[in-house]
Amino acid sequence: MKKKAFVAIISASMLASMGAGALAATKLQEIKAYLNPEVRVQVDGTHVDLRDVKGNIIAPISYQGANYFPIRSISDALDIAVDYDETTKTIIIGEKVDGVSIVDGFKDMYHTKNSAQTTYKGKDYKEAYFNDGSGDRSTNFMLYPNKEHQTLYLQIAAVNGDINDLTIEDGDTNTILKKIDVIKAEEGLVTVQANIGDVKSLYIHGNVKGGTAVFVPLTTSYYK
């Protein structure tokens, strides 16, 4: 909950973390705001002093009824990585993905943001495909690379059992692009790589026994 509570602050504090070059951008608008040293921050019930990159204690900026902190001070307090891509003017929070995450546009009944299901071995991936249905069953979902990528890097883990006959198919031609006989729970999170050049849609499926769940972190599975 602590990280969710700060998401709004993080996303709204971009200007505070940009360098001098960004401040000269033509799309920036001047505002009138105030420093408010009376506002304090708690993390998990403990007061913390938010600091700038030089280690100085900072106060939030109060503007139109909201408080704004530099994004890096919040990320440091929550132990979340943050970086800034000058080329794309993008603030990157959390893990960097070297490619295009499959989370964009992903739709499935087992798509979840529930931290109880997006956390695997102590790490919260924020969004995941978590199939914990009952009984022996097939587990499957669709992806749509739309002929824009060459390779799929799919991270997947079997929980409390094995995944059998994991198959990645071209969703339009039913051509098998990758097949793995078994992914065992003790293997942990594995990365399955498949060539997907000129493929519009992907059908990914496998078989599991009752009591087994399938975990796919959507934020760290990607196309390239």
Side-chain angles (χ1 to χ4, degrees):
M1 289 302 294
K2 67 174 185 179
K3 296 183 179 179
K4 290 181 180 179
F6 279 113
V7 167
I9 299 176
I10 288 175
S11 59
S13 60
M14 292 182 180
L15 294 181
S17 66
M18 293 183 179
L23 292 177
T26 57
K27 293 184 179 180
L28 294 181
Q29 298 179 11
E30 185 176 358
I31 63 172
K32 184 177 180 180
Y34 301 90
L35 290 176
N36 188 355
E38 292 185 350
V39 174
R40 302 184 66 190
V41 174
Q42 280 189 0
V43 177
D44 286 346
T46 302
H47 286 287
V48 295
D49 291 325
L50 299 184
R51 300 177 182 272
D52 61 20
V53 293
K54 296 181 179 180
N56 301 314
I57 296 176
I58 58 175
I61 293 174
S62 290
Y63 175 67
Q64 293 187 347
N67 295 306
Y68 298 84
F69 289 94
I71 193 169
R72 187 168 295 281
S73 68
I74 295 294
S75 68
D76 287 346
L78 298 178
D79 195 25
I80 300 173
V82 64
D83 200 0
Y84 181 65
D85 187 330
E86 177 67 33
T87 303
T88 61
K89 300 294 187 290
T90 302
I91 293 177
I92 303 169
I93 301 170
E95 285 196 39
K96 293 182 181 179
V97 173
D98 184 19
V100 178
S101 172
I102 68 171
V103 72
D104 295 332
F106 185 86
K107 294 181 180 179
D108 191 273
M109 65 179 292
Y110 290 109
H111 179 191
T112 180
K113 296 181 182 180
N114 182 346
S115 61
Q117 296 177 323
T118 60
T119 300
Y120 180 75
K121 292 191 174 181
K123 181 176 179 179
D124 189 353
Y125 291 86
K126 304 302 181 183
E127 294 190 49
Y129 168 88
F130 189 80
N131 184 330
D132 59 346
S134 61
D136 297 352
R137 65 198 185 280
S138 172
T139 175
N140 55 78
F141 57 89
M142 298 291 296
L143 295 175
Y144 299 94
N146 292 317
K147 300 184 179 181
E148 297 175 351
H149 310 284
Q150 294 299 312
T151 309
L152 170 68
Y153 296 86
L154 181 73
Q155 291 196 308
I156 187 168
V159 181
N160 299 324
D162 299 337
I163 303 171
N164 296 298
D165 300 321
L166 179 72
T167 306
I168 301 176
E169 294 183 10
D170 184 321
D172 296 306
T173 66
N174 296 324
T175 301
I176 295 176
L177 306 175
K178 188 80 172 187
K179 185 171 183 179
I180 297 177
D181 291 337
V182 60
I183 295 177
K184 295 183 175 295
E186 55 265 31
E187 294 180 70
L189 194 62
V190 300
T191 300
V192 178
Q193 181 177 335
N195 295 324
I196 59 170
D198 203 36
V199 173
K200 184 177 181 181
S201 66
L202 294 168
Y203 177 52
I204 299 170
H205 59 95
N207 298 303
V208 296
K209 297 290 186 180
T212 300
V214 178
F215 176 78
V216 176
L218 300 176
T219 51
T220 56
S221 297
Y222 60 95
Y223 309 114
K224 192 173 180 180

